[in-house]
Amino acid sequence: MPNPKATSRLPESGTQYPKYIDKTLFQKSLSHYENNNLIQYLKTIFDTKTILNLINIYKIGTSSHFGGGTTIFWQIDTQGNIRTGKLIKYNAKTGHRIKKPYVATNWAHTLKYKNKFNLHQCLFGEHLLTEDPTAPVALVESEKTAIIAQGKIPDYIWLATGSLNEFKPSKLEILKDRIVVAFPDLGAYEIWQKKASDLSFHISVSDFLEKNATDEQREKGLDIADFINL
């Protein structure tokens, strides 16, 4: 199995590695939703119209990797460039990640270009910022969480960092002129609050989950989407 962690290697002298994903590959993935496990799970939460809207606005992709049923979360910047795509396979009934017999996660740039790619990630859903310059933004960790929250609470533009440690200036700078509230997963509030306080602009970090979670919910490390679906 290739290493699922996103890595970036500097080009050799005189070599120009690509920094965006081929749009032909991207377009090809925008189909076969009947075989996409995440989309099948969303059917237990939303009606067909809502699901089609979420597919369209987030440009959710489908991959045959990991034996099929895998979702691609494309990272599209405000210029429409595709920075990369995260591949994750979910259980179609529970919506949980497949972690056995291996963690079913990989990256489009790794599969397509191996180490010959100049990676610069952006926020998942970042392209949505161009559609409404004044809409408030809600920031979460998981791409799946952003999608579910968008369907439930469309008053915000829901974006995702992609991981706990991707809450960092290089990704967040694009939000400096927006009203932003971050909803960290349970157990991550202090980490994100500290990182937010070090930014040169303001991001409000919500402690809603920390104040309202039970001990069992804390142990599971739930996120805002879990609470929305309760």
Side-chain angles (χ1 to χ4, degrees):
M1 286 293 298
N3 188 342
K5 294 184 177 180
T7 57
S8 178
R9 181 175 296 181
L10 292 175
E12 298 173 7
S13 178
T15 302
Q16 295 295 320
Y17 290 162
K19 58 182 179 179
Y20 303 126
I21 296 291
D22 182 349
K23 289 193 175 182
T24 302
L25 177 65
F26 161 71
Q27 291 290 345
K28 186 178 179 180
S29 77
L30 305 180
S31 61
H32 296 90
Y33 294 114
E34 70 280 3
N35 298 324
N36 188 312
N37 287 5
L38 176 62
I39 302 304
Q40 299 312 305
Y41 171 68
L42 292 181
K43 289 181 179 180
T44 68
I45 304 174
F46 300 113
D47 58 49
T48 300
K49 182 179 179 180
T50 301
I51 293 172
L52 290 175
N53 182 55
L54 293 172
I55 289 172
N56 179 56
I57 64 176
Y58 284 105
K59 311 303 179 188
I60 300 171
T62 303
S63 171
S64 61
H65 204 62
F66 301 123
T70 298
T71 299
I72 308 178
F73 298 113
W74 294 110
Q75 292 183 11
I76 308 171
D77 64 26
T78 54
Q79 303 302 310
N81 300 308
I82 304 160
R83 302 289 188 90
T84 188
K86 184 191 292 184
L87 283 73
I88 301 179
K89 187 170 183 176
Y90 294 91
N91 181 300
K93 294 182 178 180
T94 66
H96 295 158
R97 287 188 179 200
I98 300 296
K99 296 184 177 180
K100 294 182 180 180
Y102 52 81
V103 178
T105 303
N106 212 318
W107 294 86
H109 68 273
T110 300
L111 295 172
K112 176 69 175 178
Y113 302 101
K114 306 303 180 185
N115 291 321
K116 297 181 178 181
F117 189 81
N118 189 10
L119 176 65
H120 294 283
Q121 293 192 55
C122 68
L123 294 168
F124 172 72
E126 183 176 302
H127 61 287
L128 299 176
L129 296 174
T130 62
E131 297 185 9
D132 190 338
T134 62
V137 171
L139 192 62
V140 295
E141 181 178 329
S142 160
E143 296 90 349
K144 184 187 80 172
T145 298
I147 291 168
I148 292 174
Q150 186 69 56
K152 292 283 187 176
I153 311 175
D155 299 330
Y156 292 89
I157 295 175
W158 289 84
L159 308 180
T161 62
S163 73
L164 172 67
N165 294 324
E166 287 297 312
F167 188 96
K168 58 186 182 182
S170 60
K171 274 192 174 182
L172 303 177
E173 179 72 17
I174 195 76
L175 304 175
K176 64 181 180 180
D177 296 322
R178 313 285 294 227
I179 296 173
V180 184
V181 57
F183 293 94
D185 292 1
L186 280 170
Y189 172 76
E190 291 186 1
I191 297 173
W192 276 22
Q193 176 62 35
K194 173 61 170 63
K195 289 186 175 184
S197 67
D198 292 337
L199 295 171
S200 61
F201 53 94
H202 180 67
I203 289 181
S204 176
V205 181
S206 173
D207 60 358
F208 172 81
L209 298 189
E210 297 296 337
K211 286 185 173 180
N212 292 278
T214 65
D215 289 341
E216 181 181 359
Q217 289 168 334
R218 293 178 195 284
E219 187 175 341
K220 291 180 179 179
L222 300 187
D223 61 26
I224 191 68
D226 297 307
F227 281 74
I228 291 172
N229 282 324
L230 290 178

